[in-house]
Amino acid sequence: MADTEMTEATPITTAPASVTEQSQQPGPTENTPASNPSLYIKNLNEKIKLDVLKKSLKTIFGQYGEVLNIVAHSNIRMRGQAFVIFENEDAATKALSEVQSFPLYGKPMVIQFAKTKSDIHAKRDGNYEEHYKQRMARKEKFANEFKPRRRQAMLLAKQQQKALEQQRILEEQQQLLLQQQMVQQAQYAQQHGGVLPGAAAGAVPMIPDEYLPRNSILFLQNLPHDIAESQLVSLFQQYPGFKEVRTVPGKSGIAFVEYDNEYYSAAAKTALADYQIDPEHKMKVTFARK
């Protein structure tokens, strides 16, 4: 961790003494690293300029001992985080205890000891080379673990986008067919005194389920009579935005599934249309009527 030159910023001069008594947010208690002269801070306000943030952190933590360096970066991985490197462990311990949850720029800081030694202390202790090798090994390990997860997330996003595009095309085709059907019905009614085939005079034709407009709620039909609600939850919650499954008391074979918005429901609808629940039941999934 190289030293970083501090730039001018508006200092914070109010000592955050007894902050932990004012805040209801507890500090980290699980998997807490051993004491260390360096502190790791997260939940920092990402909208604050980096030089201003560093100056503010140095002003606050400098009240507890000599601060050798403030390390913070603007890249996505490190945004909203920082390291405060003290001269000694006692100062870091006192600062952690008293500054925990202090609201810096509207966000309570979450503080714990850093998991590893800083470059500054490694150089001072005379084991920097070994320290550097270990740090590079951890960095490589993280990169190797991160890349597959990133690829998987990108693949999922592409699949969802493709499903939404297929749904959009299907809806356009369905709307076109519906318009053609309505035109044909209007022509038939005009030729036969306003009466549609199989309907009473003046009756308004109901839009088929397949042509219904988007809705955040899906309507499920042709379900097995003995299907458990938990089975439907397991099936539909694998798609983003899932909220709940609602069955209809006294009516078997149907259910409703709600998502956060119609885009999420459309993706689930496209993915699970005609899903074979069991050998005798192919599930019908449409948007619910508004």
Side-chain angles (χ1 to χ4, degrees), residues 123-169:
K123 290 177 181 178
R124 188 180 65 180
D125 296 343
N127 61 350
Y128 176 74
E129 290 187 5
E130 180 63 25
H131 165 80
Y132 181 79
K133 290 179 181 178
Q134 292 177 357
R135 181 154 65 86
M136 290 298 101
R138 288 193 300 270
K139 185 176 181 180
E140 183 178 358
K141 179 181 178 182
F142 174 84
N144 292 335
E145 293 175 350
F146 177 74
K147 287 178 181 178
R149 293 199 301 267
R150 185 179 182 185
R151 283 197 298 268
Q152 185 177 8
M154 292 177 65
L155 178 61
L156 179 61
K158 288 182 179 179
Q159 291 174 340
Q160 293 175 351
Q161 184 63 34
K162 183 178 180 180
L164 289 174
E165 181 63 18
Q166 291 174 341
Q167 180 64 34
R168 184 189 65 79
I169 294 173

Side-chain angles (χ1 to χ4, degrees), residues 18-139:
S18 302
V19 168
T20 51
E21 297 177 3
Q22 302 169 10
S23 173
Q24 297 299 316
Q25 291 197 2
T29 57
E30 297 182 1
N31 301 322
T32 302
S35 57
N36 190 321
S38 301
L39 297 180
Y40 167 63
I41 307 168
K42 60 182 179 179
N43 198 42
L44 296 172
N45 194 324
E46 299 179 12
K47 297 181 180 179
I48 305 303
K49 291 183 178 180
L50 207 58
D51 57 343
V52 175
L53 180 64
K54 288 182 178 181
K55 183 67 175 180
S56 299
L57 290 172
K58 189 166 187 178
T59 300
I60 292 173
F61 287 94
Q63 300 176 65
Y64 298 93
E66 182 181 356
V67 174
L68 302 180
N69 194 17
I70 304 287
V71 178
H73 301 286
S74 58
N75 59 62
I76 295 177
R77 180 187 168 193
M78 284 299 298
R79 196 175 297 164
Q81 306 167 72
F83 289 91
V84 177
I85 304 170
F86 282 95
E87 169 66 24
N88 58 66
E89 190 176 300
D90 290 341
T93 301
K94 184 174 178 60
L96 185 150
S97 174
E98 296 191 9
V99 186
Q100 185 70 260
S101 299
F102 178 71
L104 180 61
Y105 298 112
K107 299 187 69 174
M109 289 187 283
V110 178
I111 310 172
Q112 66 184 54
F113 290 114
K115 293 182 178 180
T116 58
K117 184 185 295 186
S118 69
D119 287 2
I120 291 177
H121 289 104
K123 290 177 181 178
R124 188 180 65 180
D125 296 343
N127 61 350
Y128 176 74
E129 290 187 5
E130 180 63 25
H131 165 80
Y132 181 79
K133 290 179 181 178
Q134 292 177 357
R135 181 154 65 86
M136 290 298 101
R138 288 193 300 270
K139 185 176 181 180

Side-chain angles (χ1 to χ4, degrees), residues 171-274:
E171 288 177 359
E172 289 179 352
Q173 294 173 342
Q174 291 174 342
Q175 288 296 324
L176 180 59
L177 290 173
L178 179 61
Q179 291 174 4
Q180 294 174 346
Q181 181 185 24
M182 294 179 70
V183 169
Q184 293 172 355
Q185 290 177 340
Q187 293 175 343
Y188 183 94
Q190 187 177 15
Q191 296 172 1
H192 297 80
V195 179
L196 294 174
V204 178
M206 180 175 289
I207 300 175
D209 291 341
E210 291 77 7
Y211 302 134
L212 290 170
R214 283 187 181 185
N215 192 338
S216 60
I217 300 175
L218 299 176
F219 179 45
L220 313 183
Q221 301 176 70
N222 198 37
L223 299 173
H225 296 305
D226 58 350
I227 190 169
E229 184 176 315
S230 59
Q231 290 180 259
L232 296 175
V233 170
S234 299
L235 186 60
F236 283 88
Q237 71 178 358
Q238 61 184 315
Y239 299 96
F242 172 81
K243 292 182 69 174
E244 64 174 347
V245 169
R246 296 196 294 270
T247 55
V248 182
K251 290 188 177 181
S252 59
I254 63 173
F256 294 91
V257 181
E258 185 173 359
Y259 284 84
D260 286 334
N261 57 53
E262 61 187 29
Y263 298 102
Y264 288 140
S265 65
K269 175 181 178 296
T270 300
L272 295 173
D274 295 327

